[in-house]
Amino acid sequence: MEARALRFVAPRRVEIQRVQVRPPAPGDVLVRTRWSGISGGTELLAYRGELDETLELDQTIPSLTGTFRYPFAYGYSCVGEVERSGLDGPGEGSAVFAFHPHQDLFTAPAADVVAVEGVDGHVATLFPLIETALQVSLDAGPRVEEPVVVLGLGPVGVLTAAMLQRSGADVLGADPRRDRRETAAQFGIRVVDDSEIREAVAASTSGAGVPLVVDATGSPAALALALELLAHEGEALVCSWFGSKDVRLPLGGAFHRRRLTIRSTQVSTIPARLAGRWDVATELPVKLLATHELPFEQAAEAYAALDGGDEGVMHVALRF
């Protein structure tokens, strides 16, 4: 069988190519893709050529093999219908989610797909971002009635801010883009422009700073700002992946004397101390983030819109 698959062939250049699809074995399903979500984080770094070409695509997703050396396939958010199923798999016609690169037809182990009956297809492609936000909020730990700043109000930043707020934190979000601030406000998040965040934090904490700043910007400059906003013994939690970008930080006297901490967070593993008590279920107005969709044939335009930071673009899905 043949399928159309997206390939990253050079920085800021993608192509649709023909590939062979292996026939499904008894424990597999054959999936016809209807929607495929584009990540504005790692995937955008891959599109721009801002990742180490020797780095493995992913060590936890079997469908992502090889490295970021061109050409390569990437993507991890496909939603489609089962065309053929083994005895133990979901029935034919079932709507499913799968971690798989952008491709209109693919074979996957039945155990690796998740049923998404009754869920809007574009919304379902946002599930990996919800998982990331949940991971960040768990890594942040209990923050009941504590002031928390979230820098960067893309989909992951908005979802993280919403989860932290629902768990009891007093969240303030910041982003230079008005459209992103407006979307975050619809989630019930207090927001300010980046240029106002220093004054806002100083006013709300009487100059003491906040105990936690979550950096979801993807911009190296934001991490320096995060350190500036922290209180004594505060923590900057970094969910941004900077790729090959140069990151320079002010780690002089103020950093040491205030005993600040910089910590990373990574999706796919729930903290060991919480693994027996949490799963990835949540309820959020996620549809607000599903702002744009384009036909698979216009994938190049979809990536360009995300890369250019077009106004109003929060999340883009390819439609098959």
Side-chain angles (χ1 to χ4, degrees):
M1 295 177 289
E2 271 197 345
R4 296 180 301 156
L6 193 74
R7 291 290 184 270
F8 294 74
V9 296
R12 290 182 165 86
R13 185 180 162 200
V14 295
E15 292 181 357
I16 296 176
Q17 301 177 356
R18 292 281 177 177
V19 298
Q20 291 297 312
V21 178
R22 66 178 177 85
D28 294 334
V29 289
L30 182 67
V31 178
R32 176 72 62 180
T33 307
R34 300 303 181 194
W35 302 89
S36 186
I38 300 176
S39 156
T42 306
E43 189 167 353
L44 201 55
L45 292 178
Y47 171 73
R48 293 168 174 163
E50 294 178 343
L51 293 170
D52 180 354
E53 66 176 14
T54 66
L55 186 68
E56 291 183 49
L57 294 179
D58 197 288
Q59 295 175 319
T60 63
I61 300 178
S63 61
L64 291 175
T65 58
T67 70
F68 287 101
R69 180 177 288 109
Y70 296 108
F72 59 86
Y74 198 67
Y76 48 80
S77 186
C78 285
V79 175
E81 297 172 359
V82 175
E83 285 202 349
R84 197 182 309 171
S85 177
L87 294 177
D88 298 325
E92 294 179 3
S94 298
V96 295
F97 169 92
F99 289 101
H100 197 281
H102 307 285
Q103 189 167 310
D104 65 358
L105 183 70
F106 61 89
T107 298
D112 289 350
V113 303
V114 178
V116 290
E117 294 292 345
V119 180
D120 178 275
H122 187 166
V123 170
T125 66
L126 284 154
F127 285 175
L129 306 185
I130 298 172
E131 180 188 16
T132 300
L134 175 61
Q135 177 67 69
V136 176
S137 66
L138 292 178
D139 281 342
R143 299 285 174 175
V144 178
E145 296 186 357
E146 288 189 11
V148 173
V149 168
V150 176
L151 298 177
L153 297 174
V156 170
V158 169
L159 291 166
T160 298
M163 289 185 185
L164 287 171
Q165 183 158 287
R166 289 189 176 201
S167 66
D170 179 14
V171 179
L172 178 63
D175 197 286
R177 285 176 48 175
R178 178 177 55 83
D179 59 314
R180 287 185 168 187
R181 296 195 303 272
E182 290 175 349
T183 298
Q186 293 183 71
F187 277 73
I189 307 301
R190 289 190 303 121
V191 295
V192 295
D193 186 271
D194 270 13
S195 63
E196 303 169 335
I197 188 63
R198 292 178 178 86
E199 292 182 2
V201 168
S204 63
T205 64
S206 299
V210 297
L212 175 70
V213 176
V214 176
D215 175 19
T217 65
S219 170
L223 189 51
L225 172 60
L227 296 178
E228 185 180 338
L229 300 174
L230 289 173
H232 185 76
E233 296 193 351
E235 178 180 73
L237 188 60
V238 184
C239 59
S240 298
W241 192 5
F242 301 121
S244 58
K245 297 174 185 174
D246 185 31
V247 181
R248 302 191 179 193
L249 296 174
L251 302 181
F255 175 77
H256 287 276
R257 289 175 179 175
R258 292 163 58 208
R259 298 174 61 87
L260 303 181
T261 300
I262 301 171
R263 187 158 60 96
S264 66
T265 178
Q266 172 62 37
V267 74
S268 300
T269 56
I270 290 175
R273 69 186 186 282
L274 300 173
R277 304 184 353 231
W278 283 86
D279 57 25
V280 296
T282 187
E283 291 185 10
L284 292 168
V286 180
K287 193 172 180 62
L288 293 173
L289 304 176
T291 56
H292 288 70
E293 60 185 65
L294 286 170
F296 183 48
E297 295 77 11
Q298 296 179 28
E301 297 176 32
Y303 282 94
L306 278 171
D307 184 34
D310 290 5
E311 184 175 358
V313 176
M314 289 293 288
H315 183 265
V316 179
L318 301 176
R319 184 179 67 249
F320 292 77

